[in-house]
Amino acid sequence: MMSNSCKTTLIYISFFLCLAFMACKRNKKVDISNIPVDVKIERFDKDFDLLHTKPLNPQIAALQSKYRVFYQDFIERVLKIGSTADTNYYKNLRDVFAGKAYTDLKHDVDAAYPNTDKQDAELTDAFRRIKYFYPQKKLPKVYAYFSGFQAQTSIGDGYFGIGLDLFLGADSKFYPALVESFPHYLSRRFTSDNIAPRVVEGLAREDMFPEDDRDNSLLAKMVYNGKILYFMDQTLPDVPDSTKIGYTAQQLKWCEDFKGNIWGFFLEENLLYETDFQKIQKYLNEAPFTPGLGDKNESAPKLGVWTGWQIVKQYMDKHPNVTLQQLMNDRDAQKILNEAKYRPKNVKE
């Protein structure tokens, strides 16, 4: 006869095996091959260029018919050259095409992106995964443009726009002259590999899961950002973590090595429930490093974002029956923290 202690041991073993199986099932790539989504980035930049080689009025009419609200948004909000309701902006259009800056930029965009086949495939995969988790989601058309370095991405009614001039590669000749607007810690990420992650992140943040203005504590913002990155984990499974969050490989390793110290810092400084954005922004915003942490400015930036990501991942690992939809709908950051039981230790300890 089996003893009670043996029965208890077997029950625990079965329980943990079940958890492990569920976690593996969650992390396993889902079959999306039959989801009828195929992304083809429409090259607005090439159609727009026709405005100075064809009669203006009929070509503008063709663009307005094809791109609808995006054409108006591009003229008025990206280029900012006038209202499409008033043909006075035509002169400004001609001035744009006449400038050497436009010609030089067009040359480099065309050289970097003779086609977008790779990005089409990456976005098709990501959009199919979004449809897998959110079958009712109406996905946007995707347009490519260049804006004179005004907007890397834009989102509007039924569309998502990609500013190819801000994805020319880290060594683009244009970026050193724009260092005040785009310091190197940002422009090093202006690469083609960043297009799909930035599109998915933009859709998540701006369209599907906008941040609630009431979530103003650092903890709430940490968990919100963690959920966005976890959503990216599920929809961009082949994208490196460093690309998703915008870290270098060294910054990602630094976070892993010192995750115990990072968490201890947040606790010791009583920052989790701080709501003064001036005090907490440096743990959430883009920067070359986080002041006050690490030696010789080697710390990673956005440590609140990274830590929130780890909390959410640990929460989901401990709750294999929670779906992605349930996670994204859950606004109780305190519950997620409590049930994650986040107690990290430094890798080297």
Side-chain angles (χ1 to χ4, degrees), residues 247 251 255 282-283 285-290 299-303 306:
Y247 280 175
Q251 287 171 335
C255 286
K282 63 183 176 182
Y283 308 113
N285 291 349
E286 299 287 358
F289 58 90
T290 298
S299 61
K302 301 188 297 186
L303 292 178
W306 182 83

Side-chain angles (χ1 to χ4, degrees), residues 40-46 105-120 122-123 143-146 149 152-153 162-172 174-175 187-199:
K40 177 63 179 174
I41 299 172
E42 297 187 46
R43 294 298 295 268
F44 175 82
D45 59 311
K46 294 183 179 297
L105 186 53
K106 179 182 183 305
H107 174 273
D108 281 30
V109 170
D110 288 348
Y113 295 98
N115 62 66
T116 56
D117 294 348
K118 180 174 181 289
Q119 289 72 39
D120 291 344
E122 291 169 346
L123 287 174
Y143 302 141
Y145 59 84
F146 60 90
F149 312 106
Q152 188 180 48
T153 60
I162 302 167
L164 295 179
D165 49 336
L166 288 170
F167 290 103
L168 288 176
D171 59 351
S172 169
F174 294 107
Y175 300 149
S187 65
R188 67 170 180 78
R189 292 156 25 199
F190 291 176
T191 63
S192 60
D193 289 344
N194 271 276
I195 288 180
R198 300 295 71 84
V199 171

Side-chain angles (χ1 to χ4, degrees), residues 232-304:
M232 294 174 71
D233 288 338
Q234 305 309 304
T235 53
L236 297 162
D238 297 321
V239 172
D241 284 354
S242 56
T243 304
K244 276 179 262 188
I245 195 171
Y247 280 175
T248 64
Q250 292 78 13
Q251 287 171 335
L252 192 65
K253 184 177 185 303
W254 186 91
C255 286
E256 288 289 344
D257 286 348
F258 298 105
K259 56 189 173 184
N261 286 357
I262 296 168
W263 184 239
F265 176 82
F266 286 132
L267 297 180
E268 290 163 12
E269 298 296 318
N270 296 315
L271 288 167
L272 291 187
Y273 306 104
E274 179 60 65
T275 58
D276 184 342
F277 191 70
Q278 293 301 314
K279 293 181 179 179
I280 64 177
Q281 62 177 335
K282 63 183 176 182
Y283 308 113
L284 303 166
N285 291 349
E286 299 287 358
F289 58 90
T290 298
L293 281 163
D295 298 326
K296 301 177 183 178
N297 298 338
E298 65 181 359
S299 61
K302 301 188 297 186
L303 292 178

Side-chain angles (χ1 to χ4, degrees), residues 111-238:
Y113 295 98
N115 62 66
T116 56
D117 294 348
K118 180 174 181 289
Q119 289 72 39
D120 291 344
E122 291 169 346
L123 287 174
T124 293
D125 188 86
F127 279 26
R128 286 181 179 181
R129 293 179 192 281
I130 292 174
K131 269 288 192 182
Y132 175 87
F133 292 109
Y134 291 87
Q136 304 307 312
K137 173 63 183 170
K138 185 176 181 180
L139 295 168
K141 291 181 177 293
V142 184
Y143 302 141
Y145 59 84
F146 60 90
S147 65
F149 312 106
Q150 297 301 307
Q152 188 180 48
T153 60
S154 56
I155 189 168
D157 186 8
Y159 73 79
F160 196 100
I162 302 167
L164 295 179
D165 49 336
L166 288 170
F167 290 103
L168 288 176
D171 59 351
S172 169
K173 67 184 181 185
F174 294 107
Y175 300 149
L178 301 168
V179 69
E180 289 190 11
S181 299
F182 305 110
H184 179 67
Y185 66 82
L186 292 179
S187 65
R188 67 170 180 78
R189 292 156 25 199
F190 291 176
T191 63
S192 60
D193 289 344
N194 271 276
I195 288 180
R198 300 295 71 84
V199 171
V200 172
E201 182 178 15
L203 279 175
R205 290 185 183 279
E206 305 299 328
D207 178 35
M208 298 179 70
F209 317 109
E211 188 173 13
D212 194 308
D213 290 339
R214 294 171 293 175
D215 294 339
N216 55 6
S217 71
L218 179 60
L219 175 61
K221 292 182 179 299
M222 289 166 72
V223 171
Y224 169 77
N225 282 283
K227 292 195 297 183
I228 295 295
L229 283 160
Y230 188 84
F231 176 82
M232 294 174 71
D233 288 338
Q234 305 309 304
T235 53
L236 297 162
D238 297 321

